Amino acid sequence: MRIVILESSPNRHGSSNLLAERFAQGAQEAGHQVAFVDVAHADIHPCTGCVHCGYEGPCVQKDDVEGIRRQLLAADMVVFVTPLYYYGMSAQLKTMVDRFCAFNSSLQAKHLKSALLAAAWNSDSWTFAALEAHYQTLVRYLNLQDMGMVLGTGCGTPSMTARSPFPQAAYRLGRQLHRSAGLVEFPYILFFSKLFHIFSNFINCHFLLPHNRYKSSEHFTFRIRRTDSSSRSLVILPSFTAFSTA
């Protein structure tokens, strides 16, 4: 799977980028291709709302967005990475998201997987409420498949973040993508489910479908009943507890 990570912190060595590095490490170990795009330091002009593109390009502005567009449309997954600025995404990431306008239809047709990695100094229960709502709206509008979030509270400095559980949570999210529904193993699950249907007199399959917000109880299971009354369960998607958004 090809993953494009959109980093948006003005601080190249900041907390949110630390989470992105750990996510990338896990994803690469799982066999995925990862490309970083530093939208905070790229030449990206704000959208003027002229709609000359007709929502499907080309954009009249000539900057780095055309190259980013090609990367996103060739990818299977996009990861939004941002520090929390006044309870929303950074202006740099919002500027990039606004420029999706020129290839809006193509993005919607891609049905990309997505994830959100964010870091904030605050630790209130509502710290990420606005950002999470915005992200979920993007997921809905762009026909994305949310694979999870790492919302790092109390990550005021890179050293604070490094001592927190969130870098490991980001690593786990990337590392476990190969076991997640809709990713690498999902076609095989569909294949075997058809076989199970053929032998329905002998096999009983049970699904717990993943919610957009991972909770500690969510997973996939296949339960095979044998004539000797023994059973065996195969957990396809382990529970995510370190970054539960419940």
Side-chain angles (χ1 to χ4, degrees), residues 126-219:
W126 46 266
T127 293
F128 284 108
L131 177 62
E132 186 178 355
H134 189 181
Y135 169 68
Q136 293 292 357
T137 301
L138 289 175
V139 166
R140 181 175 183 178
Y141 174 67
L142 293 174
N143 298 325
L144 305 176
Q145 181 183 353
D146 177 30
M147 303 310 296
M149 310 176 194
V150 179
L151 306 176
T153 55
C155 296
T157 66
S159 60
M160 292 168 63
T161 305
R163 294 192 300 269
S164 77
F166 300 110
Q168 182 63 18
Y171 169 82
R172 288 182 59 204
L173 177 58
R175 186 69 179 83
Q176 294 179 353
L177 284 176
H178 73 298
R179 292 182 293 205
S180 299
L183 295 180
V184 175
E185 291 186 340
F186 191 60
Y188 301 101
I189 295 174
L190 290 177
F191 171 74
F192 284 114
S193 68
K194 292 180 180 179
L195 291 181
F196 291 159
H197 178 72
I198 294 173
F199 298 101
S200 58
N201 290 332
F202 305 96
I203 298 173
N204 176 44
C205 300
H206 173 63
F207 271 77
L208 282 176
L209 293 177
H211 191 276
N212 280 339
R213 302 178 183 179
Y214 290 108
K215 299 180 176 68
S216 61
S217 62
E218 291 174 341
H219 56 280

Side-chain angles (χ1 to χ4, degrees), residues 57-160:
C59 181
V60 297
Q61 303 195 73
K62 306 305 176 185
D63 52 17
D64 291 341
V65 170
E66 175 58 25
I68 298 172
R69 179 191 72 85
R70 289 195 296 268
Q71 285 184 277
L72 286 172
L73 294 184
D76 303 295
M77 181 175 184
V78 58
V79 181
F80 300 96
V81 183
T82 182
L84 191 74
Y85 288 167
Y86 272 79
Y87 300 97
M89 64 177 63
S90 70
Q92 291 80 0
L93 182 57
K94 183 60 166 60
T95 299
M96 180 66 241
V97 170
D98 287 348
R99 292 291 300 278
F100 286 175
C101 175
F103 50 105
N104 190 75
S105 298
S106 294
L107 272 180
Q108 289 177 321
K110 281 285 293 183
H111 295 276
L112 292 169
K113 280 80 175 176
S114 68
L116 173 65
L117 309 177
W121 187 293
N122 306 59
S123 297
D124 298 300
S125 60
W126 46 266
T127 293
F128 284 108
L131 177 62
E132 186 178 355
H134 189 181
Y135 169 68
Q136 293 292 357
T137 301
L138 289 175
V139 166
R140 181 175 183 178
Y141 174 67
L142 293 174
N143 298 325
L144 305 176
Q145 181 183 353
D146 177 30
M147 303 310 296
M149 310 176 194
V150 179
L151 306 176
T153 55
C155 296
T157 66
S159 60
M160 292 168 63

Side-chain angles (χ1 to χ4, degrees), residues 15-57:
S15 293
S16 62
N17 286 358
L18 174 60
L19 299 181
E21 291 170 4
R22 293 289 284 148
F23 171 89
Q25 180 185 352
Q28 288 169 334
E29 290 180 7
H32 303 295
Q33 300 176 25
V34 176
F36 287 91
V37 177
D38 186 355
V39 301
H41 298 92
D43 179 24
I44 301 175
H45 304 159
C47 179
T48 64
C50 69
V51 199
H52 185 274
C53 62
Y55 301 107
E56 197 50 42

